[in-house]
Amino acid sequence: MTALLAGCSGGSGDSGDVTLELVAADYGDSSANSSKKYWDALSKKFEAEHPGIKIDVTVLPWTDVDREVKEMVEDGKAPDLAQIGAYADYAAQDKLYSADDLLSIPTQADFLAPLSKAGEVNRVQYGMPFAASTRLLFFNEKLFKSAGIEPPESWSELQAAAQKLKARGVKIPYALPLGPEEAQAETMQWLLSGGGGYTDNVGSYDIDAKTNVTTFKWLKDELVGKGLTGPTQPGKLNRAEAFAAFTRGDVGMLNGHPTLMQMAAKKGLKYGMVPMPGINGKAQSTMGVADWMMAFKQNGHRKEVGEFLNFVYSTENVLDFSREYDLLPVTTSASQAMSEDKEDSEKLGQFLEELPASQLYPVDKTSWAQVSVQVKKYIGKTVDENGNPEAILGQIEAKARAEENAR
């Protein structure tokens, strides 16, 4: 580490080389497909074309990477680049280069609009999207066929389908994972399908809006209250458990992302996917998720970092990463290429269609990390037997506003 940091600070000996340190998250699920292999190959190719710039890559699991980068920054040893889950805190502390500082105009303009906008703080882009995903409603084809059910397009149709599945003995007609692992995602998907969201039209928190209260009252009364979400209380059901139950054939339907396709395929489970139902038809927008690339100013390698990032975001390299990990491209050119490729389109086409109109978490807010913790902690209580959606959403909203005002 000492040698690596020395390289970041001043190059390598008499050669005049600049060494850029990149800390990145691991998207692989084994050593065989670790992101380390992707970055090593990419760095080798870049270094061959850009003599004088070396890339040192550290790949860490998602459970550690955000914390490790935070500690490096606090210790005054920020990496040149970090590919992690959040950027807003560092932007607020003026520790990051803006995208304008680093990227060519064609590269920056190639980012998909909702992702580019989500990377902005005060209308300046600091977070560069690196990987993206959307959500669709997955359903068990065998269970639906045996019950004579068509994929739902509205809440009433979803409830009717769940009732038919329950009548046929399906253990979990609709899986509603509001447990602490990723409750903020399931929550946002339902808020959007009800015409609401975490924020209002001007970007202020609006968690206890009437539309959001209506959504959770419906979930409490019409799904959970009617025994359509299985034996585990939603507040105690995590996404990983819900996904595993789906691949076992115990779940009729649930919200999922592309990873669930891989899991289901490995189990030989036949499934279908449709857009998330809304109150009276297809939801107007779905939830998008993005992970972020950011560049720290501490080491002063703006020019070299810019050269590397313009290389990273080439259409070819974005496609390579997206295909390796079944993620959605973050650029228009790569998205178009994937849409036009038959194999890619068959695999991820439906997710690609949802991405341009998707809405992301309010990641531009430095308060979002703490607000997300509050959602994970309390949202499951809204659908408990004695839960009060209006009161609990109001409680989360109050904490959100206090957290935002304290920043």
Side-chain angles (χ1 to χ4, degrees):
M1 179 63 80
T2 301
L4 189 143
L5 290 171
C8 289
S9 299
S12 51
D14 297 329
S15 67
D17 287 350
V18 168
T19 300
L20 301 179
E21 181 185 5
L22 165 65
V23 179
D26 195 350
Y27 290 82
D29 55 13
S30 68
S31 58
N33 71 341
S34 169
S35 296
K36 176 71 171 165
K37 291 187 174 182
Y38 171 83
W39 285 113
D40 284 349
L42 188 73
S43 298
K44 185 177 180 180
K45 184 178 177 183
F46 173 80
E47 290 171 358
E49 298 178 12
H50 298 79
I53 306 176
K54 304 294 183 184
I55 311 295
D56 273 324
V57 183
T58 301
V59 172
L60 299 170
W62 273 109
T63 51
D64 301 328
V65 67
D66 287 274
R67 184 191 72 252
E68 291 280 353
V69 170
K70 182 180 179 181
E71 291 175 357
M72 292 173 73
V73 174
E74 289 175 348
D75 290 343
K77 300 175 181 178
D80 294 283
L81 293 150
Q83 187 273 298
I84 53 177
Y87 68 87
D89 273 344
Y90 303 123
Q93 298 169 40
D94 195 30
K95 293 183 180 294
L96 302 179
Y97 287 117
S98 70
D100 290 338
D101 293 330
L102 303 166
L103 302 178
S104 69
I105 292 174
T107 298
Q108 190 174 358
D110 200 24
F111 289 131
L112 290 166
L115 304 181
S116 182
K117 183 174 178 57
E120 295 179 357
V121 174
N122 296 325
R123 298 185 179 182
V124 178
Q125 185 179 359
Y126 296 96
M128 291 160 279
F130 184 74
S133 180
T134 55
R135 303 293 167 98
L136 291 170
L137 184 74
F138 282 67
F139 61 92
N140 184 310
E141 284 190 345
K142 181 179 179 181
L143 295 178
F144 266 56
K145 185 176 181 180
S146 64
I149 304 170
E150 292 296 321
E153 295 182 356
S154 65
W155 286 3
S156 60
E157 290 180 6
L158 186 148
Q159 184 203 49
Q163 288 174 325
K164 289 183 179 180
L165 292 167
K166 181 183 179 182
R168 296 185 67 85
V170 175
K171 187 176 181 181
I172 308 173
Y174 178 85
L176 183 66
L178 295 177
E181 180 190 8
E182 205 190 28
Q184 80 283 4
E186 185 74 11
T187 297
M188 184 169 178
Q189 188 66 69
W190 277 100
L191 295 182
L192 292 173
S193 76
Y198 284 120
T199 58
D200 59 21
N201 291 334
V202 295
S204 299
Y205 285 119
D206 199 19
I207 297 169
D208 61 349
K210 289 183 179 180
T211 51
N212 294 343
V213 173
T214 298
T215 294
F216 272 86
K217 281 184 175 178
W218 187 87
L219 286 172
K220 177 181 182 292
D221 297 337
E222 303 301 327
L223 280 190
V224 181
K226 294 190 181 329
L228 302 177
T229 55
T232 303
Q233 290 181 340
K236 295 181 178 179
L237 180 67
N238 283 322
R239 184 198 66 184
E241 297 161 6
F243 278 18
F246 183 75
T247 65
R248 293 195 303 267
D250 292 338
V251 174
M253 49 188 160
L254 80 170
N255 284 318
H257 50 66
T259 301
L260 186 54
M261 296 190 305
Q262 302 174 36
M263 296 173 64
K266 288 178 181 178
K267 294 286 188 177
L269 182 82
K270 292 187 177 180
Y271 61 88
M273 302 179 296
V274 292
M276 178 66 181
I279 296 179
N280 299 310
K282 177 188 172 183
Q284 292 183 350
S285 62
T286 190
M287 184 186 72
V289 178
D291 301 322
W292 303 94
M293 178 74 77
M294 62 213 68
F296 289 89
K297 296 193 289 188
Q298 179 178 319
N299 299 315
H301 295 146
R302 183 187 65 81
K303 179 177 179 294
E304 293 83 4
V305 168
E307 287 187 46
F308 182 60
L309 288 178
N310 281 301
F311 179 81
V312 166
Y313 284 108
S314 71
T315 302
E316 177 186 356
N317 290 330
V318 172
L319 279 173
D320 284 348
F321 184 85
S322 301
R323 286 167 173 159
E324 177 66 28
Y325 299 105
D326 284 336
L327 292 163
L328 303 184
V330 297
T331 63
T332 301
S333 60
S335 294
Q336 184 175 348
M338 187 171 275
S339 297
E340 293 172 354
D341 183 277
K342 183 178 180 181
E343 185 176 346
D344 288 334
S345 183
E346 288 179 354
K347 196 173 187 181
L348 293 169
Q350 288 178 271
F351 291 97
L352 283 167
E353 289 175 10
E354 297 293 314
L355 187 57
S358 65
Q359 292 191 34
L360 281 74
Y361 299 130
V363 290
D364 60 317
K365 294 180 176 293
T366 57
S367 60
W368 169 243
Q370 288 304 314
V371 174
S372 177
V373 169
Q374 296 299 313
V375 174
K376 292 178 181 181
K377 187 174 182 179
Y378 294 110
I379 199 67
K381 299 179 186 297
T382 60
V383 296
D384 286 348
E385 184 177 355
N386 298 316
N388 184 329
E390 186 171 12
I392 294 170
L393 289 173
Q395 175 185 341
I396 298 172
E397 169 70 13
K399 289 181 179 292
R401 287 184 179 271
E403 188 69 33
E404 181 70 5
N405 291 336
R407 302 260 165 173

